[in-house]
């Protein structure tokens, strides 16, 4: 599976998770201890919107705050569709700055993929929804993150230490535990 197809599948999965959140769950705690469900959805949508803008070559809006509208799932779908369209029209070997400095497009897309997939798990976990990503997708994302989440990056980017899971755990559990979540 190529990275753009993986991102499309991740966006579809995440849309379903966000659509499954009930209004009374917005204040639930999440594995991202600094955010409740509503704040985490706001963050996830903001990241998708911001990365989409960067891929389109738009200048970042300094200090801009992202806000949810009345239908977070529809809002996510619209932003994800726009971001996916941008990724389909960019050379993944070109440099893109998504806020962390210029990097190859493939690295920026990998960050978009990892962030969205991981936060879909966080939201599902916090709201009692099925947590597993499609196995092939989770295995791909797990392999990608193993290639660039180093101990130095963990301390810089705020990732917790890896949490052990059994060798026969599914790829979603391997992914989230590698990123410091306790499944």
């Amino acid at each position: 599976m190529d990275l753009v197809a993986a991102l499309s599948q991740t966006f579809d999965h995440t849309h379903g998770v966000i659509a499954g959140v009930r209004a009374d769950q917005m204040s639930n705690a999440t594995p991202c201890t600094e955010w409740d469900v509503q704040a985490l959805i706001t963050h996830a949508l903001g990241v998708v919107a911001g990365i989409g803008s960067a891929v389109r070559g738009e200048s970042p809006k300094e200090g801009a705050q992202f806000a949810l509208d009345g239908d977070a799932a529809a809002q996510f779908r619209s932003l994800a569709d726009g971001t996916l369209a941008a990724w389909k029209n960019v050379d993944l070997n070109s440099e893109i700055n998504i806020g962390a400095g210029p990097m190859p497009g493939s690295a920026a897309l990998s960050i978009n993929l990892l962030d969205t997939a991981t936060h879909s798990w966080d939201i599902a976990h916090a709201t009692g929804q099925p947590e597993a990503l499609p196995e092939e997708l989770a295995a791909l994302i797990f392999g990608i993150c193993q290639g660039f989440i180093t101990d130095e990056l963990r301390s810089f980017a705020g990732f917790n230490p890896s949490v052990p899971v059994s060798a026969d755990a599914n790829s979603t559990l391997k992914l989230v535990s590698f990123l410091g979540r306790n499944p």
Side-chain angles (χ1 to χ4, degrees), residues 12-29:
D12 290 346
H13 175 82
T14 303
H15 173 259
V17 170
I18 293 172
V21 175
R22 298 185 320 264
D24 67 328
Q25 295 175 317
M26 289 299 221
S27 62
N28 287 11

Side-chain angles (χ1 to χ4, degrees), residues 37-51:
V37 170
Q38 181 172 335
L40 186 54
I41 291 172
T42 301
H43 165 76
L45 270 69
V47 168
V48 169
I51 290 177

Side-chain angles (χ1 to χ4, degrees), residues 8 12 14 22 48 62 84 86 98 100 103-104 108-109 114-115 121 136 145 159 167 174:
S8 177
D12 290 346
T14 303
R22 298 185 320 264
V48 169
E62 291 298 321
L84 191 62
I98 60 170
M103 64 184 73
L109 193 150
L114 176 62
D115 187 79
W121 182 88
E136 180 184 1
C145 78
F159 289 109
K174 289 177 182 177

